[in-house]
Amino acid sequence: MNEFKPQVVAFYCPNCASAAANVAEGMGEILPDNIKMIQVPCTGRIETLHLLRPFENGADGVYVAGCQEDSCQYVSGVVKAAKRVASVKKILEQLDMNPDRINLFNLSAGKGHRFVEVAYEMIGRLKEIGPSPVKVKP
Amino acid sequence: MIVAEPKPIKEVVDMVKDYNKVLIVGCKGCVTVCNVGGSKEVSILASTLKIASRKKGRDIEVGECTLERQCDPEYVKELENIIENYEAVISIACGVGPQFLSERYPSAMVFPGVNTKFMGGAIEHGEWSERCAGCGTCVVHYFGGLCPIARCSKSLLNGPCGGSNQGKCEISNDVDCIWDIIVRKMMTQGRLDQLLEFRPPKSWITSRDGGPRRLIREELVK
């Protein structure tokens, strides 16, 4: 039997998270290949709809990698993202889906290891939760 | 503006569970301003319905459309040649919207996607408060520009009741006693005596007591 390999979409900002990604790359740490990374100008730009679309198309999980709340270049981008992630959690709950399928992580520019760690953390959670109940016809 | 909130998703999903082609119609008026029924919310609801149906192994077609206003026939008319392609329509305008759609397109199965709450305004981003009860005869000028009909829990017109405590209403500490605010404002403006002036009981015939209301302005009617 094939082991469940969660399909994950991750949104990340070009500042803290992106810098952390570069540090991770320099350290030779590699992201798992089942994570589709999407860079956005700021996590505050991510709309509720952007977070729902992956679920609509069968993704098992979604996460947002943003700055620390006190170090967002655009002041409150990651705070806005956190509110939208919370609103999608509520939508998932109402659809009888586990709200832990979506999460937000606050990263720091210098912590490359953490950038890769959250990806594995998310995959670990999703393996416990199981595959998405959303069936997309090919 | 007319303030509304989304209906619980399960309720909306249940309304259209038997249909395979659903059109969601938003409105660019009040419900866009209160972030419940504009084009963004149309897309969010469409995505949510698709997730809900795909979860059950069904793939429904969800159309999206946002009208300038759903309370004007000239804009409602824009759904001609569109609405007939769908088995069900969800209006996420205020309660006026689904009714105008139902009246204009008698064969359409129309469902409301929001709960209309009240006429009010934004206290801050994400928080709204009632200001007008639509009584049909405005009397706010007697009360320092504030409406005790909409804002007093008992709609009292002759002063606060015994439930006024430290400026709050007895129903909840989150609710200001509007009579406390009215009296203090009239004192500040030096016209507290105006509250003592005799006024006959308010006629409620212009409110809902007179039945469903209609307004005709001859100068505008063609």
Side-chain angles (χ1 to χ4, degrees), chain B residues 155-220:
Chain B
S155 294
L156 292 178
L157 292 173
N158 56 348
C161 72
S164 178
N165 185 13
Q166 311 267 341
K168 297 293 176 186
C169 174
E170 65 183 338
I171 66 159
S172 166
N173 276 340
D174 295 332
V175 178
D176 290 326
C177 170
I178 194 63
W179 267 106
D180 187 86
I181 298 172
I182 291 169
V183 170
R184 287 179 197 281
K185 182 165 181 190
M186 295 297 265
M187 284 168 73
T188 305
Q189 292 184 339
R191 54 181 183 131
L192 187 61
D193 56 305
Q194 289 179 15
L195 289 179
L196 297 174
E197 286 173 18
F198 172 77
R199 287 187 198 94
K202 180 176 165 64
S203 166
W204 293 96
I205 200 161
T206 57
S207 184
R208 282 285 303 163
D209 299 41
R213 292 171 282 181
R214 192 174 176 195
L215 177 68
I216 299 172
R217 282 178 56 190
E218 297 293 349
E219 76 276 23
L220 299 174

Side-chain angles (χ1 to χ4, degrees), chain A residues 13-16 41-44 66-78:
Chain A
C13 82
N15 300 305
C16 299
C42 170
T43 52
C67 306
Q68 297 291 326
E69 284 191 10
D70 58 358
S71 63
C72 174
Q73 186 173 319
Y74 301 103
V75 184
S76 60
V78 75

Side-chain angles (χ1 to χ4, degrees), chain A:
Chain A
M1 191 180 156
N2 290 337
E3 195 195 350
F4 167 51
K5 195 175 179 185
Q7 295 303 309
V8 182
V9 174
F11 296 91
Y12 68 106
C13 82
N15 300 305
C16 299
S18 184
N22 288 336
V23 173
E25 195 178 6
M27 292 161 70
E29 297 210 33
I30 300 166
L31 277 175
D33 64 1
N34 48 335
I35 297 205
K36 291 184 173 61
M37 301 296 294
I38 300 171
Q39 194 187 70
V40 290
C42 170
T43 52
R45 177 64 188 87
I46 304 167
E47 299 281 354
T48 305
L49 186 62
H50 296 137
L51 300 171
L52 281 173
R53 282 275 193 250
F55 290 112
E56 186 186 322
N57 291 299
D60 298 300
V62 173
Y63 72 85
V64 175
C67 306
Q68 297 291 326
E69 284 191 10
D70 58 358
S71 63
C72 174
Q73 186 173 319
Y74 301 103
V75 184
S76 60
V78 75
V79 175
K80 289 191 176 89
K83 286 181 178 169
R84 283 164 196 158
V85 166
S87 79
V88 174
K89 278 181 182 283
K90 281 184 190 163
I91 292 174
L92 293 180
E93 270 175 337
Q94 290 193 68
L95 292 171
D96 295 325
M97 288 170 71
N98 193 319
D100 277 345
R101 288 188 182 277
I102 184 164
N103 276 298
L104 179 135
F105 298 97
N106 301 101
L107 303 181
S108 302
K111 294 189 175 172
H113 175 68
R114 180 68 185 142
F115 183 78
V116 177
E117 194 179 57
V118 297
Y120 282 102
E121 198 175 308
M122 194 67 198
I123 286 174
R125 269 188 219 180
L126 290 168
K127 278 186 175 172
E128 282 174 23
I129 295 169
S132 167
V134 177
K135 306 292 175 224
V136 181
K137 286 178 186 163

Side-chain angles (χ1 to χ4, degrees), chain B:
Chain B
M1 78 185 93
I2 294 176
V3 180
E5 67 174 5
K7 272 191 176 291
I9 290 166
K10 279 187 179 170
E11 193 181 333
V12 180
V13 168
D14 194 52
M15 282 175 185
V16 295
K17 67 178 189 302
D18 297 327
Y19 302 101
N20 293 313
K21 294 174 92 177
V22 178
L23 176 66
I24 301 173
V25 187
C27 175
K28 293 183 188 169
C30 310
V31 289
T32 287
V33 182
C34 64
N35 302 75
V36 69
S39 57
K40 268 188 191 179
E41 291 76 24
V42 165
S43 296
I44 290 169
L45 182 56
S47 182
T48 306
L49 285 182
K50 284 180 198 165
I51 294 171
S53 67
R54 286 176 183 171
K55 218 176 133 243
K56 290 183 176 166
R58 288 173 65 223
D59 220 352
I60 62 167
E61 182 184 329
V62 184
E64 300 177 26
C65 177
T66 304
L67 301 179
E68 197 63 35
R69 282 192 295 279
Q70 287 191 32
C71 53
D72 267 323
E74 69 221 67
Y75 299 117
V76 173
K77 193 169 175 264
E78 290 172 5
L79 290 179
E80 272 176 14
N81 305 322
I82 297 174
I83 205 165
E84 64 203 32
N85 299 320
Y86 293 90
E87 297 167 3
V89 180
I90 299 172
S91 165
I92 55 171
C94 71
V96 178
Q99 295 188 61
F100 263 50
L101 298 187
S102 294
E103 288 165 29
R104 177 67 181 77
Y105 304 103
S107 60
M109 304 297 283
V110 183
F111 300 91
V114 302
N115 289 328
T116 306
K117 308 304 282 186
F118 51 77
M119 283 184 275
I123 303 301
E124 58 178 270
H125 192 63
E127 184 181 346
W128 296 269
S129 175
E130 186 168 14
R131 286 292 181 273
C132 179
C135 72
T137 309
C138 193
V139 289
V140 298
H141 55 298
Y142 296 142
F143 308 107
L146 305 163
C147 181
I149 299 169
R151 300 174 69 183
C152 166
S153 300
K154 294 174 177 169
S155 294
L156 292 178
L157 292 173
N158 56 348
C161 72
S164 178
N165 185 13
Q166 311 267 341
K168 297 293 176 186
C169 174
E170 65 183 338
I171 66 159
S172 166
N173 276 340
D174 295 332
V175 178
D176 290 326
C177 170
I178 194 63
W179 267 106
D180 187 86
I181 298 172
I182 291 169
V183 170
R184 287 179 197 281
K185 182 165 181 190
M186 295 297 265
M187 284 168 73
T188 305
Q189 292 184 339
R191 54 181 183 131
L192 187 61
D193 56 305
Q194 289 179 15
L195 289 179
L196 297 174
E197 286 173 18
F198 172 77
R199 287 187 198 94
K202 180 176 165 64
S203 166
W204 293 96
I205 200 161
T206 57
S207 184
R208 282 285 303 163
D209 299 41
R213 292 171 282 181
R214 192 174 176 195
L215 177 68
I216 299 172
R217 282 178 56 190
E218 297 293 349
E219 76 276 23
L220 299 174
V221 176
K222 282 181 186 169

